[in-house]
């Protein structure tokens, strides 16, 4: 079994661990930054971290639930895993199905493999440098997904956060030369995937995110170009690991 298949299986097992808590009353605690934390986050974290340690014992792992290693240590890493065990905890709490398991392999500051698994829908997106991006449906059928740069002369479809919408998004995009025709709401890193498969043209994010929120979905987007990788403005292994504002898909 190759590495990408191993990662898909790990994400599926993590998804099963999450769904083990989905039908019961979800108890929520708060982390230091006031973001929500559930038993499902920790269960998924344990599945992924233990599995990755077995798969690649010498490769460091950063998970949202494991804390951030010192910058001085991280800058020496050539490669590492970047994981969000349950992206879209707010969507999980709302039980709307739009939460994901995110696993990315980082090399030299960019995501070279990304797996985004949607446990409630049994759908998985994968992006891999040099191979491209694919979608695996509920029956296990694997299909190449492609995206292209939007035409500024035509109204664009944007994907917006279901839980973190910005009121001035359309105005700011118009300043960039885009007229918004339609807006599709989605949770978690699904937003990257919807751009990668051409359901939406642009994903603007004018609020803060962390690197583990974006890495796997960013890989799915980057490698959805037909002939070459798509441009992404997001950089990784920053000192704070906090992302600034970004717009995905406009270039």
């Amino acid at each position: 079994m190759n590495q990408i298949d191993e990662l898909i299986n790990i994400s599926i097992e993590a998804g099963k661990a999450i769904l083990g808590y989905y039908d019961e009353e979800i108890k929520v605690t708060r982390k230091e930054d006031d973001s929500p934390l559930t038993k499902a986050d920790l269960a998924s974290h344990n599945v992924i971290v233990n599995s990755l340690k077995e798969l690649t014992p010498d490769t460091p792992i950063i998970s949202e639930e494991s804390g951030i290693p010192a910058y001085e240590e991280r800058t020496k890493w050539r490669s590492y895993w970047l994981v969000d065990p349950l992206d879209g905890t707010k969507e999980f709490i709302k039980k709307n199905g739009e939460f994901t398991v995110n696993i990315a392999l980082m090399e030299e500051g960019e995501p070279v493999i990304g797996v985004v698994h949607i446990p409630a829908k049994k759908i998985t997106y994968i992006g891999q440098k040099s191979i491209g991006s694919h979608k695996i449906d509920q029956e296990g059928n694997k299909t190449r997904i492609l995206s292209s740069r939007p035409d500024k002369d035509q109204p664009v479809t944007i994907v917006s956060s279901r839980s973190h919408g910005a009121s001035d998004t359309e105005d700011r995009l118009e300043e960039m030369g885009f007229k918004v025709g339609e807006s599709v709401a989605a949770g978690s890193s699904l937003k990257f995937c919807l751009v990668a498969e051409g359901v939406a043209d642009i994903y603007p994010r004018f609020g803060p995110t962390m690197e583990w929120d974006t890495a796997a979905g960013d890989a799915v987007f980057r490698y959805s170009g037909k002939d070459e990788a798509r441009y992404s403005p997001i950089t990784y292994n920053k000192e704070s690991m906090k992302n600034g504002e970004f717009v995905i898909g406009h270039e």
Side-chain angles (χ1 to χ4, degrees):
M1 186 180 293
N2 61 32
Q3 190 177 59
I4 192 71
D5 290 333
E6 293 273 13
L7 295 176
I8 292 167
N9 286 341
I10 291 170
S11 72
I12 290 171
E13 289 305 310
K16 290 177 181 176
I18 291 170
L19 292 179
Y21 296 93
Y22 197 46
D23 292 329
E24 61 183 50
E25 181 183 353
I26 298 171
K27 296 180 180 178
V28 182
T29 58
R30 293 280 168 181
K31 292 187 280 190
E32 289 183 6
D33 63 357
D34 201 39
S35 59
L37 176 68
T38 70
K39 289 182 179 179
D41 293 81
L42 298 176
S44 177
H45 164 83
N46 289 332
V47 168
I48 295 169
V49 169
N50 291 337
S51 299
L52 291 178
K53 284 180 178 177
E54 187 174 331
L55 182 66
T56 56
D58 298 325
T59 304
I61 304 168
I62 300 177
S63 166
E64 178 179 8
E65 309 309 339
S66 62
I68 303 175
Y71 182 60
E72 293 73 21
E73 178 185 351
R74 291 188 279 117
T75 54
K76 300 172 185 175
W77 296 349
R78 180 187 172 274
S79 64
Y80 61 97
W81 296 105
L82 189 52
V83 174
D84 191 342
L86 202 175
D87 183 31
T89 301
K90 290 181 179 179
E91 314 308 330
F92 174 74
I93 294 166
K94 294 174 185 174
K95 299 189 177 185
N96 66 13
E98 294 186 350
F99 51 90
T100 61
V101 174
N102 297 349
I103 304 173
L105 178 62
M106 312 298 294
E107 290 184 358
E108 304 294 353
E110 69 173 10
V112 295
I113 298 176
V115 175
V116 176
H117 177 61
I118 314 167
K121 299 180 181 180
K122 296 182 171 62
I123 292 172
T124 306
Y125 292 89
I126 56 176
Q128 188 170 6
K129 192 173 185 178
S130 79
I131 293 177
S133 296
H134 295 79
K135 179 180 182 180
I136 304 171
D137 67 16
Q138 296 95 328
E139 285 74 43
N141 301 309
K142 185 177 177 181
T143 307
R144 178 77 194 274
I145 56 175
L146 297 168
S147 66
S148 58
R149 186 175 177 176
D151 183 353
K152 282 192 173 184
D153 293 331
Q154 300 294 326
V156 295
T157 297
I158 67 169
V159 61
S160 58
S161 174
R162 207 174 278 286
S163 298
H164 304 278
S167 58
D168 62 343
T169 296
E170 293 192 20
D171 292 337
R172 295 183 66 170
L173 287 175
E174 286 191 8
E175 290 174 4
M176 296 171 59
F178 291 100
K179 180 173 178 57
V180 177
E182 185 180 353
S183 180
V184 179
S188 67
S189 54
L190 275 171
K191 296 181 283 294
F192 286 95
C193 300
L194 292 178
V195 175
E197 64 179 322
V199 173
D201 299 304
I202 293 174
Y203 165 32
R205 180 59 185 252
F206 299 133
T209 56
M210 299 299 291
E211 291 180 18
W212 49 71
D213 295 319
T214 61
D218 193 12
V220 175
F221 163 72
R222 288 184 190 220
Y223 307 124
S224 66
K226 184 176 181 181
D227 300 313
E228 60 183 1
R230 300 287 309 274
Y231 166 75
S232 170
I234 307 175
T235 59
Y236 292 90
N237 214 4
K238 301 181 289 293
E239 187 167 1
S240 71
M241 295 196 75
K242 183 178 287 186
N243 298 320
E245 297 180 345
F246 59 79
V247 179
I248 291 293
H250 72 295
E251 294 187 40

